[in-house]
Amino acid sequence: MQSYALKKNGKKSAKVFGRGLPISTKDSVAICRKLSGMNLQKGKEFLFGMLSEKRSLDGKFHTKAALEILGLLNSAESNAEFKGLDPEKMIINASAHEGYTFYRPRRFKVHGRKKKVTHVQVVVEQK
């Protein structure tokens, strides 16, 4: 089992770990860097803007990665509410790194192709 990159106080924070997500590592690292330090509501608005293609990050929308990370933020918000924390005061700390890689088998002389796999960790902390 993989441990979290961010160690926070367990009573004032909620964690989510997305393991083996089929998204680009490069895109998810860029999104996580942008979201880190942002308020939870502003972060969700930013990702909704990327999905509706009204906001871009470096001229790109990264819709697939934004959708997966938005799902993780919603799950982190649910975890925070379950702990009795106020979601309005939550700050996002996110990190992403490359997961295990494997090749999809192909028939005959065509070589396999590498599948994109990324691990994303999201920790929301109440300030």
Side-chain angles (χ1 to χ4, degrees):
M1 174 140 187
Q2 202 162 10
S3 63
Y4 281 85
L6 302 166
K7 307 287 187 210
K8 296 291 180 181
N9 183 7
K11 295 181 181 178
K12 291 191 175 186
S13 65
K15 301 187 271 187
V16 175
F17 190 86
R19 182 175 295 124
L21 301 177
I23 55 178
S24 170
T25 304
K26 183 178 172 183
D27 296 348
S28 58
V29 166
I31 292 173
C32 287
R33 281 186 185 154
K34 180 72 176 177
L35 289 177
S36 291
M38 198 179 281
N39 189 358
L40 181 63
Q41 300 304 323
K42 287 184 182 179
K44 288 173 71 173
E45 288 175 12
F46 176 75
L47 291 175
F48 276 123
M50 287 183 75
L51 289 173
S52 63
E53 297 186 354
K54 292 182 180 177
R55 286 197 171 186
S56 66
L57 186 63
D58 300 330
K60 297 181 181 177
F61 297 112
H62 310 293
T63 53
K64 188 174 179 183
L67 183 65
E68 292 286 339
I69 294 174
L70 181 63
L72 290 176
L73 283 182
N74 288 334
S75 181
E77 183 179 16
S78 298
N79 291 346
E81 288 176 357
F82 180 76
K83 283 187 167 185
L85 303 175
D86 186 17
E88 301 294 326
K89 299 178 183 176
M90 303 303 271
I91 302 296
I92 301 170
N93 292 309
S95 66
H97 55 277
E98 188 174 6
Y100 56 89
T101 57
F102 60 92
Y103 289 89
R104 289 186 272 175
R106 297 287 181 215
R107 295 181 68 191
F108 305 116
K109 294 182 180 180
V110 179
H111 296 289
R113 295 197 178 149
K114 193 162 78 167
K115 187 175 181 182
K116 299 177 199 174
V117 178
T118 305
H119 300 320
V120 179
Q121 302 173 2
V122 176
V123 178
V124 290
E125 185 177 20
Q126 184 172 341
K127 291 287 181 183

